[in-house]
Structures are given as structure tokens and as C-alpha cells.
Amino acid sequence: MRTKINSRLLRGIMILFAVFMVNVYGCGEPELGNIEIEPDQKTLPVGETADFKAVLLSTDGEVMQNVFVEWRVKGEAGSIDKTGTFKALQPGEATVIAETEGISEKAQVTVEALPLAGLELNPESAETRPESTVQISIIGSTAAGESAGYHEIQVATPTKTAHLNTKTVTLNESGRAQVQLTVPELPGKVVVTASRGDIKTQTEITVIPRPVSRFDAQPEAERALTASVVPVRIKGLSDADQAAAMNRIAVSSSTPGTVLSTDELVLDNEGTAQLKVTSLQNRVRTSLS
């Protein structure tokens, strides 16, 4: 009888010990139930970083420690390192993914461009010859003077005879873009504007006349009576025999007894001007310079 009681007591003690061991040490390694990412949403400006944390929970809802987590990003708006630090690279949407043991979780990141506060055009002013092409740089900046990239900028010129190669440009990551301006064939002022919303700037390009290389003088008559007036058409030409329009030129005669209507002419849009010549002597040839 005593043996049976001792046997039962021993079994009871063993059961109690087993229950104690389970409560203290568990039934083995905990099994991963799910992953939570903190934060699960984030908005960042370009260039900034944010730290993401993966919280691993067992099937019993307990936090698990020392479990390796793989981080990756879906999308081109940013990158993430093995510690969960996300870097914003360009405006757009990105999905941060934490994964281990076949279980994953996601967080959404929105990357925004740095706010644009100012625009600058370079050159601020310039001179160029007719029908030439001018490269104009557009520079965007923040209120703190940092580069403000990825903004779409409107460019325009009110000069109908000038041509821009585009009406819109997007600033690159350095806050810069370029446009090409082809100026008209006639001298004058060409204004180019760059704007985004209320932010606006402009530059002024001065088209200067082609230099006169030579003149072509055509009198209406080779012979004329003394004291009569002979109109002479003068055309200014460049090295390439193009009309040297809008040039101001001085005229004079080395022939005694010759009177000119003016000592200065302005060539018109076709590079021509008219001079009136009066000879007060008989049988002379008049030369102009």
C-alpha cells in the first residue's frame, strides 16, 4: 500500500515539475507570427532620412528579439540600408519592406521636392549677334539658398521672332536646367521669362547689329546736271554678305563741291539707307566713304 502511494506521489511531483519547466522555459523556440513596421507612413523632403523599426511578434503576441530582418525598397524615390535607415532621393512614392522567415510587412513613404522660393536666369543679360543661339541656365533655390530640384518651370519670350527650344523644363537634382534661345535676324531686345506660380524672373538679351564689312552704293543716275540731287542707295554687308541691318554709319565725300544730305545714316531692316548727293561743279566724279 505504501509503495502505491509513493508511486502516485512521485508521478504528481514529476507532472508539477514539467508544468513548472514549461512555464519557465516554454515549449521550445517561439514561432514568428507577424511583423509590424514603425512608422507605417512617412513624408520626407528630398535629401532627408528616416529610421524605420521592425517589431517582430510571435504567434503568442510576444515581442521577439535578435531576429535578422531584411530591408528593401520598392520604387525609385529612395533607398534603405540594412539597419532600416531610409534616404529620400527624388520626389515620388516608395514602399519600405521588412521581411524575415517568409513573413513581410510594408510601410509607405512619400518623398517631396524641397519648396521652391526663388529662380535665377544666367546670364542675367547678354549681347549676341542676329540669328545666333544663346544658352540660358535656370537655377532654382529654397528660402535657405539650397538647390531646389525637380520643379517644372515655364519659360517664355514675348518676342515673336525669337524662338525657345521648349516651353517647360524640369529642374534636375541640383536645381538646374537649360534652354536654348534663337534670337531674330534684326537687332533689338529679347526678354526671356522663367516662372512657377508666383515665382518669376527674367533676363534680357540684346541683339547687336552684324558688323559692316563693306558697302555697296547704287546711285539712281550715273550722270546728273550741276546742282541737281542724286539719290544714292547704300547697303551695308557683313563678312558673309548678309545685310548688316540697324548699323549707324558715318558718310562723307572727298570730292570738292559735293554736298551730302547728312553725315550719318542708320541702315534699315534690310541693311540699306538712302543718301542724297548734290554736285556743285561740272564734270566731276563724287566718291563716298
Side-chain angles (χ1 to χ4, degrees):
M1 184 73 176
R2 181 177 296 175
T3 302
K4 290 183 178 180
I5 293 173
N6 290 339
S7 177
R8 289 175 181 174
L9 179 61
L10 180 60
R11 284 199 300 269
I13 292 172
M14 291 178 67
I15 290 171
L16 288 174
F17 181 75
V19 171
F20 172 77
M21 293 297 289
V22 168
N23 287 335
V24 173
Y25 297 103
C27 298
E29 291 294 328
E31 183 180 350
L32 180 64
N34 70 294
I35 302 174
E36 295 179 357
I37 298 181
E38 298 174 353
D40 61 356
Q41 293 184 41
K42 191 72 174 177
T43 299
L44 290 172
V46 170
E48 294 294 315
T49 61
D51 293 325
F52 287 87
K53 178 183 178 182
V55 179
L56 286 72
L57 301 174
S58 69
T59 52
D60 296 328
E62 298 295 326
V63 176
M64 299 173 64
Q65 304 290 340
N66 301 321
V67 179
F68 174 77
V69 175
E70 179 185 357
W71 293 96
R72 68 179 189 272
V73 169
K74 183 178 180 181
E76 299 180 354
S79 62
I80 197 165
D81 64 16
K82 61 183 180 180
T83 66
T85 299
F86 177 92
K87 183 173 183 179
L89 299 178
Q90 64 183 47
E93 301 292 327
T95 302
V96 170
I97 303 170
E99 183 174 10
T100 188
E101 298 181 16
I103 298 176
S104 63
E105 186 56 274
K106 300 176 181 178
Q108 294 302 125
V109 182
T110 300
V111 179
E112 298 178 340
L114 291 174
L116 181 70
L119 285 170
E120 177 185 342
L121 290 179
N122 189 17
E124 295 181 359
S125 63
E127 291 185 349
T128 189
R129 298 294 184 185
E131 298 182 292
S132 61
T133 299
V134 180
Q135 299 282 348
I136 299 175
S137 296
I138 304 171
I139 305 167
S141 60
T142 67
E146 298 175 290
S147 298
Y150 305 104
H151 293 278
E152 187 175 88
I153 307 299
Q154 308 294 319
V155 289
T157 175
T159 307
K160 294 181 179 179
T161 50
H163 174 72
L164 286 164
N165 66 327
T166 183
K167 293 181 179 179
T168 60
V169 292
T170 300
L171 302 179
N172 63 18
E173 61 182 4
S174 300
R176 292 174 175 269
Q178 271 199 341
V179 294
Q180 290 183 347
L181 170 72
T182 303
V183 301
E185 63 177 346
L186 297 179
K189 303 286 187 181
V190 179
V191 174
V192 175
T193 61
S195 63
R196 179 175 175 84
D198 295 332
I199 303 170
K200 185 176 182 180
T201 188
Q202 70 177 42
T203 184
E204 186 176 87
I205 308 298
T206 302
V207 184
I208 59 176
R210 293 187 181 97
V212 179
S213 176
R214 64 184 181 87
F215 292 104
D216 182 17
Q218 297 289 335
E220 286 190 4
E222 294 291 340
R223 296 174 180 273
L225 297 174
T226 302
S228 63
V229 178
V230 178
V232 179
R233 180 177 177 270
I234 298 175
K235 184 168 187 176
L237 297 169
S238 68
D239 285 335
D241 280 345
Q242 294 173 299
M246 310 299 290
N247 275 287
R248 187 179 297 274
I249 60 173
V251 291
S252 62
S253 174
S254 59
T255 305
T258 300
V259 178
L260 304 180
S261 57
T262 182
D263 59 3
E264 187 178 73
L265 294 172
V266 177
L267 303 181
D268 62 18
N269 293 347
E270 296 180 354
T272 63
Q274 192 174 75
L275 177 69
K276 295 179 180 179
V277 179
T278 304
S279 179
L280 303 179
Q281 297 185 23
N282 294 324
R283 304 180 65 85
V284 298
R285 295 181 64 84
T286 300
S287 61
L288 302 175
S289 61

